[in-house]
């Protein structure tokens, strides 16, 4: 049986940073942010060439162990077969190991690029299959759902398959991320979570997560109570005490703030009028970045154009 045919031209994929959990929405909520990685992939006659600029340029593998390459290979298997060679160029802007979805971005970039360079790829690997594949590689759907769909997403698994819905976040929201210099491994942060939690804490989080949907989409004035969490953030404090201290400090000043994903980045929600003031609260040791909300999610772009 003949394998797939591939396009001769390179494809460029842009993928957004994401923040998961958003306080009480543990392993379910995700938000796409206006900070992007770009990946260019071309099918070659033979071999594998990987080039990396930006984040991780000095540390990431430049062979088949690279997460973009592994994701490409996994997707090509589903699309019918591997190309003879690959050229992969990564321009990374999403910080690594900071809770901003860098691994999800790499996974989504790889599988979308594989689909894009395969003739007839979208008919074999549709958008639903993309989410399922990205979740299979990543292990959970919250970040990959937001990366693929953009906006605010709620993700879950049903019958073992990943599912997600996209919601439109309130246009007035201005996310500010506070990124520390030192990363924390997701595995380390997850390892601190208890196997069971008190029923009263689970009930409280269920209510706050429901309220968070209303707050993020229509009534941002409710974000401070809506982002309260009892399931995961404080348990992670031993791995990132400065992060939890900043979260509590911001919240004490009336700013809705949460641990971004597994941390150690802190995500705060503000508006246009207060964004600059909020950005200055953390002080030294934190890189404060005011970001836009990403509305489109991962997409294939022309090779020429701005960054």
């Amino acid at each position: 049986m003949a394998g797939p045919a591939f396009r001769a031209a390179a494809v460029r994929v842009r993928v957004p940073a994401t923040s998961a959990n958003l306080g009480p929405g543990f392993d379910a909520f995700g938000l796409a942010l206006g900070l992007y990685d770009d990946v260019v992939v071309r099918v070659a006659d033979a071999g594998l060439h990987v080039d990396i600029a930006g984040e991780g340029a000095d540390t990431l593998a430049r062979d088949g162990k690279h997460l973009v390459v592994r994701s490409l290979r996994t997707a090509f298997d589903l699309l019918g077969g591997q190309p003879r060679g690959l050229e992969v160029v990564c321009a990374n802007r999403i910080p690594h190991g900071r809770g901003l979805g860098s691994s999800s971005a790499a996974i989504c970039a790889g599988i979308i690029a594989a689909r894009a360079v395969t003739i007839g790829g979208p008919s074999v690997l549709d958008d639903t299959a993309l989410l399922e594949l990205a979740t299979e590689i990543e292990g959970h759907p919250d970040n990959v759902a937001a990366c693929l769909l953009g906006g605010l997403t709620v993700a879950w698994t049903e019958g073992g398959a990943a599912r997600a819905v996209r919601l439109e976040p309130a246009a007035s929201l201005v996310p500010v991320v506070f990124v520390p210099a030192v990363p924390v491994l997701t595995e380390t942060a997850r390892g601190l979570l208890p196997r069971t939690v008190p029923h009263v804490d689970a009930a409280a989080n269920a209510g706050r997560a429901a309220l968070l949907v209303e707050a993020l989409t229509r009534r941002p004035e409710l974000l401070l109570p809506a982002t309260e969490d009892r399931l995961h953030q404080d348990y992670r404090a031993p791995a990132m005490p400065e992060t939890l201290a900043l979260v509590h400090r911001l919240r004490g000043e009336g700013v809705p703030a949460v641990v971004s994903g597994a941390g150690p980045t802190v995500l705060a929600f503000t508006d246009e009028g207060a964004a600059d003031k909020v950005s200055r609260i953390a002080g030294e040791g934190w890189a404060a970045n005011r970001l836009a909300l990403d509305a489109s999610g991962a997409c294939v772009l022309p090779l020429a154009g701005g960054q």
Side-chain angles (χ1 to χ4, degrees):
M1 183 176 177
F6 300 105
R7 303 186 188 281
V11 300
R12 173 188 174 201
V13 178
R14 171 163 286 186
V15 284
T18 52
S19 181
N21 303 326
L22 308 181
F26 181 64
D27 276 3
F29 286 18
L31 186 68
L33 303 171
L35 179 65
Y36 302 93
D37 285 353
D38 283 278
V39 175
V40 175
V41 174
R42 188 179 78 86
V43 171
D45 291 333
L48 171 65
H49 176 78
V50 179
D51 192 21
I52 305 166
E55 294 284 337
D58 297 328
T59 57
L60 294 177
R62 283 177 161 78
D63 56 21
K65 296 178 182 179
H66 192 287
L67 185 53
V68 171
V69 177
R70 288 192 278 127
S71 301
L72 280 161
R73 297 293 192 199
T74 302
F76 281 133
D77 283 341
L78 294 180
L79 289 162
Q82 300 290 328
R84 288 173 295 180
L86 281 173
E87 296 177 358
V88 181
V89 179
C90 303
N92 296 336
R93 303 174 189 88
I94 303 171
H96 290 188
R98 303 302 200 282
L100 288 170
S102 61
S103 63
S104 291
I107 290 166
C108 293
I111 63 177
I112 289 173
R115 184 175 76 168
V117 299
T118 303
I119 295 175
S123 64
V124 179
L125 198 61
D126 63 15
D127 290 347
T128 298
L130 276 184
L131 175 61
E132 293 176 1
L133 177 58
T135 301
E136 179 182 336
I137 298 171
E138 174 74 329
H140 43 88
D142 46 3
N143 284 99
V144 294
C147 187
L148 290 171
L149 301 177
L152 169 67
T153 55
V154 183
W156 70 99
T157 55
E158 185 174 334
R163 298 288 182 262
V165 293
R166 183 192 183 282
L167 303 172
E168 194 67 40
S172 63
L173 285 180
V174 177
V176 176
V177 294
F178 299 91
V179 184
V182 180
V184 172
L185 293 176
T186 299
E187 294 80 2
T188 301
R190 274 194 176 266
L192 293 169
L193 300 181
R195 294 179 62 86
T196 61
V197 297
H199 186 278
V200 64
D201 289 345
N205 260 56
R208 299 304 170 119
L211 180 61
L212 186 56
V213 174
E214 176 75 4
L216 284 172
T217 57
R218 298 199 304 175
R219 299 180 64 187
E221 69 272 15
L222 295 174
L223 274 168
L224 189 60
T227 49
E228 183 180 335
D229 165 72
R230 297 190 192 178
L231 285 189
H232 68 102
Q233 293 188 157
D234 285 339
Y235 290 112
R236 288 170 161 161
M240 55 190 91
E242 295 86 358
T243 291
L244 270 298
L246 180 56
V247 167
H248 293 312
R249 179 181 168 192
L250 286 162
R251 296 182 67 83
E253 297 192 24
V255 179
V258 298
V259 177
S260 181
T265 291
V266 173
L267 169 67
F269 293 106
T270 183
D271 57 28
E272 188 67 33
D276 289 341
K277 179 181 177 181
V278 170
S279 297
R280 294 191 292 267
I281 289 177
E284 295 183 4
W286 300 88
N289 296 291
R290 170 180 165 174
L291 299 176
L293 296 168
D294 173 80
S296 58
C299 57
V300 178
L301 297 177
L303 279 175
Q307 296 300 308

